[in-house]
Amino acid sequence: MGKFYIDGGKRLEGSLRVQGGKNAVLPILAATVLNGDISYIKDCPKILDVSTMINILKSIGCSVKWEGKTLIIDSSTVSSYEVPENLVREMRSSIIFLGSVLGKYKKVIISYPGGCPLGPRPIDLHLKALKQLGVKIKEEHGFIICEASKLTGAKIHLDFPSVGATENIMLAAVLAEGKTVIYNAAKEPEIKDLQDFLNGMGAKVSGASTDIITIEGVKSLHKVEHKVIPDRIVAGTYLIAAAITKGEVKLTNVEPNHIQAIISKLKEVGCKIHEEKNSVYLKAPKNLKSVDIVRTQPYPGFPTDMQAQMMSLLTMTKGTSIITETVFESRYKHVEELMRMGADITLEGRTAIIKGGLDLTGTTVYAKDLRGGAALIIAGLVAKGTTIVEGAKHIERGYERIDKDLNLLGASIRKEN
Ligand code: UD1
């Protein structure tokens, strides 16, 4: 696996365009199965998770090709409703094919995704909802076998506003008979992007961004062209990278409304932020201040996907800060790596207490998951000497070119395979 070498101590300055959204495009790629036609996905990020999705699409019979930053998928040739086990293991969010393949072909076989570095990630809410749409589900030898003679709209209340479950229900309900209503739906911007994509191919979905989503089943769908929304987590990651180096940056292709929870915390640490229609400017203070508490929550709360990067920033502030991770049970794999670099962090269950203001020192650390890996690169930007972040593959699951982007802003990062 590749490694990143980061020489710390460089201030980030300048301007950068943010890539298209990973968490928006993954469900959209699964949704391309539904139209049995061509989908043009513009500003599709060239990341490892997208490659895995492409491999799944090809394995079930789609033809897929790139034209610049546009991914073109033809799903008229789908010949299998079985999602290969090795690819589901590579990327947990491939469980999103459950809804789309089932919605289109009334049958799907997919392996059970199991746990992941963030702790247990159950899919009980997904399966319970699909049963309400009329799906018969068998779980055998680690596989989930779903079948329905027909899918029928239903009223579904989610016990938790799960992003994945909301997406799977939307995908399964688009071609179902009658109306489906999801109560306590996830409100993430990526859900709205999926709604826009589905409506672009002729679906009748409304209510995304609120906690009630309505899907009126339609008989058929057609060709679609769609531009993916900007990646709010990549934007947040780069703003924090600038803040930790006491830098000054402007990010373009950003939807400021999507990152208000992150902006609010960056203001608390003392950054000056200026928002425009599709861009954000940040200037960091000379001395960063600690924050009382960062609590991860479903959108519009502070994103769990930004918790690790925020922690790196808080190691550099004056005073003690607290982070509480309420979404995932064990999303603190980056803590011991940050401590190896000299950070003072105490874990008490889901809470992390960060005593800021100590110097970090470059050493070899390991990226155990995507965002935790990004957090280590951020820490490396201010550590004394060279930080080696192993496990580059995890980071490349979601960042198109983190080394090149940060180097453009003045960092000194190189990658070795
Ligand atoms: C989560 C994030 C999403 C992020 C994505 C990628 C939240 C709420 N969701 O989405 O913003 O983009 O990771 O990192 O922040 N759960 C169940 N049963 C289920 C499904 C979920 O108990 O069937 C629980 C999980 O254990 C977890 C929580 O719900 O505690 C998070 O759920 P969910 O939103 O489904 O996770 P993702 O879809 O992976």
Side-chain angles (χ1 to χ4, degrees):
M1 246 198 230
K3 322 171 181 186
F4 290 108
Y5 290 75
I6 305 123
D7 295 324
K10 310 273 191 303
R11 181 176 187 257
L12 298 194
E13 265 177 331
S15 165
L16 195 69
R17 184 186 186 275
V18 172
Q19 69 190 52
K22 168 179 100 72
N23 293 334
V25 83
L26 300 181
I28 285 175
L29 291 180
T32 61
V33 170
L34 286 166
N35 62 356
D37 205 327
I38 299 176
S39 301
Y40 298 88
I41 318 291
K42 295 178 168 175
D43 208 19
C44 181
K46 290 184 179 170
I47 49 177
L48 278 184
D49 274 7
V50 165
S51 306
T52 307
M53 290 301 275
I54 293 174
N55 289 338
I56 295 177
L57 288 166
K58 284 182 176 167
S59 77
I60 60 172
C62 295
S63 50
V64 186
K65 65 172 182 188
W66 285 101
E67 254 174 32
K69 285 174 144 196
T70 302
L71 192 64
I72 304 167
I73 297 123
D74 181 353
S75 65
S76 63
T77 47
V78 170
S79 53
S80 164
Y81 42 71
E82 205 170 324
V83 184
E85 188 183 355
N86 58 324
L87 298 175
V88 177
R89 289 204 188 286
E90 241 169 74
M91 193 183 62
R92 195 202 169 274
S93 47
S94 51
I95 197 69
I96 200 65
F97 277 98
L98 200 58
S100 64
V101 176
L102 193 57
K104 177 74 175 173
Y105 296 100
K106 315 285 174 266
K107 178 157 189 176
V108 64
I109 301 176
I110 193 164
S111 77
Y112 207 88
C116 81
L118 313 187
R121 291 179 87 170
I123 53 163
D124 54 314
L125 300 175
H126 305 230
L127 300 181
K128 191 172 151 195
L130 293 175
K131 281 182 191 157
Q132 286 178 266
L133 297 175
V135 181
K136 298 232 167 354
I137 301 175
K138 279 192 290 187
E139 291 176 62
E140 277 174 11
H141 312 295
F143 285 88
I144 308 164
I145 304 157
C146 300
E147 246 178 313
S149 48
K150 68 170 186 179
L151 291 164
T152 315
K155 287 184 175 182
I156 297 168
H157 182 274
L158 290 175
D159 293 326
F160 178 87
S162 154
V163 175
T166 303
E167 291 165 346
N168 257 331
I169 301 167
M170 288 166 76
L171 296 175
V174 158
L175 291 168
E177 248 176 48
K179 182 161 97 176
T180 299
V181 186
I182 313 172
Y183 298 91
N184 199 25
K187 297 195 284 268
E188 269 69 356
E190 292 76 23
I191 302 281
K192 169 73 166 57
D193 207 32
L194 180 61
Q195 168 177 293
D196 291 346
F197 176 74
L198 292 170
N199 289 345
M201 56 162 74
K204 285 191 180 160
V205 186
S206 58
S209 303
T210 76
D211 43 23
I212 302 180
I213 297 177
T214 305
I215 306 115
E216 300 269 3
V218 296
K219 291 233 163 2
S220 65
L221 299 162
H222 50 71
K223 213 175 262 188
V224 57
E225 198 177 298
H226 180 82
K227 181 176 174 290
V228 180
I229 57 168
D231 197 308
R232 63 192 168 101
I233 305 302
V234 171
T237 302
Y238 290 172
L239 288 177
I240 286 186
I244 203 169
T245 66
K246 320 266 171 79
E248 184 176 1
V249 298
K250 181 181 176 180
L251 300 182
T252 59
N253 195 40
V254 177
E255 176 49 76
N257 284 337
H258 293 172
I259 56 168
Q260 285 305 314
I262 304 164
I263 286 178
S264 159
K265 289 298 160 195
L266 285 167
K267 284 183 177 167
E268 269 182 62
V269 300
C271 295
K272 282 206 174 69
I273 307 247
H274 178 70
E275 300 169 23
E276 280 174 17
K277 193 163 170 268
N278 293 113
S279 66
V280 177
Y281 159 89
L282 172 143
K283 186 171 184 199
K286 283 215 166 62
N287 295 309
L288 296 158
K289 292 180 283 187
S290 59
V291 299
D292 290 341
I293 187 149
V294 178
R295 193 188 303 275
T296 67
Q297 277 172 329
Y299 188 86
F302 190 88
T304 174
D305 278 353
M306 285 300 302
Q307 179 254 106
Q309 303 90 309
M310 192 69 201
M311 188 180 289
S312 290
L313 179 63
L314 295 177
T315 65
M316 283 293 121
T317 60
K318 204 166 183 302
T320 299
S321 306
I322 289 178
I323 294 183
T324 300
E325 172 58 62
T326 77
V327 179
F328 290 112
E329 223 172 279
S330 61
R331 196 170 193 174
Y332 280 136
K333 298 281 191 292
H334 46 283
V335 169
E336 57 181 324
E337 305 300 306
L338 288 173
M339 287 172 71
R340 283 164 50 73
M341 296 176 73
D344 182 343
I345 304 167
T346 310
L347 281 183
E348 281 177 17
R350 289 181 174 230
T351 296
I353 302 154
I354 304 118
K355 283 197 189 134
L358 300 176
D359 284 340
L360 298 183
T361 318
T363 181
T364 301
V365 287
Y366 194 80
K368 294 172 185 161
D369 62 72
L370 163 59
R371 307 303 173 185
L376 297 177
I377 290 191
I378 288 173
L381 293 174
V382 286
K384 287 209 173 94
T386 303
T387 301
I388 304 170
V389 181
E390 295 191 340
K393 199 177 162 192
H394 290 293
I395 299 168
E396 288 166 343
R397 278 190 41 220
Y399 295 87
E400 216 170 19
R401 34 159 207 266
I402 196 165
D403 46 345
K404 294 191 184 80
D405 279 351
L406 295 176
N407 284 342
L408 258 177
L409 297 175
S412 172
I413 307 181
R414 63 182 194 284
K415 200 196 145 201
E416 266 179 29
N417 285 317

